[in-house]
Amino acid sequence: HILLHGITKQEILEDISLLRHEVCHVLQWKRMGYLRFLFFYLWWSFRYGYHKNPLEQEAREAEHDPEILKKILIHRK
């Protein structure tokens, strides 16, 4: 699940780069587990800053990856 704040579901579905970015975070969470993801996301944000956080760097790279959306199921209710 992607938790939306300040954006509607329709808006994120229309912003393909943002959708890919957020899907990457979902896949990171699945790969690492919720607590480990949260710990490292916060630790690396504190240590390196938001832009140099390895999880954010990976998500920014995913913005240009057309294959990433094939790894998930999008419910369009």
Side-chain angles (χ1 to χ4, degrees), residues 4-45:
L4 302 176
H5 178 72
I7 189 170
T8 67
K9 183 176 182 178
Q10 189 59 39
E11 289 171 327
I12 197 169
L13 290 173
E14 292 173 359
D15 186 339
I16 197 72
S17 292
L18 179 58
L19 180 60
R20 289 173 180 163
H21 183 105
E22 295 305 326
V23 164
C24 183
H25 285 314
V26 170
L27 296 174
Q28 291 167 342
W29 170 80
K30 289 183 72 148
R31 180 179 73 224
M32 299 174 77
Y34 178 73
L35 291 178
R36 189 166 182 256
F37 170 83
L38 188 57
F39 172 81
F40 279 103
Y41 189 92
L42 294 173
W43 171 248
W44 286 335
S45 290

Side-chain angles (χ1 to χ4, degrees), residues 20-21 24 54-65:
R20 289 173 180 163
H21 183 105
C24 183
L55 295 171
E56 280 300 327
Q57 289 177 329
E58 181 183 353
R60 281 193 300 279
E61 289 173 14
E63 293 174 9
H64 309 286
D65 179 7

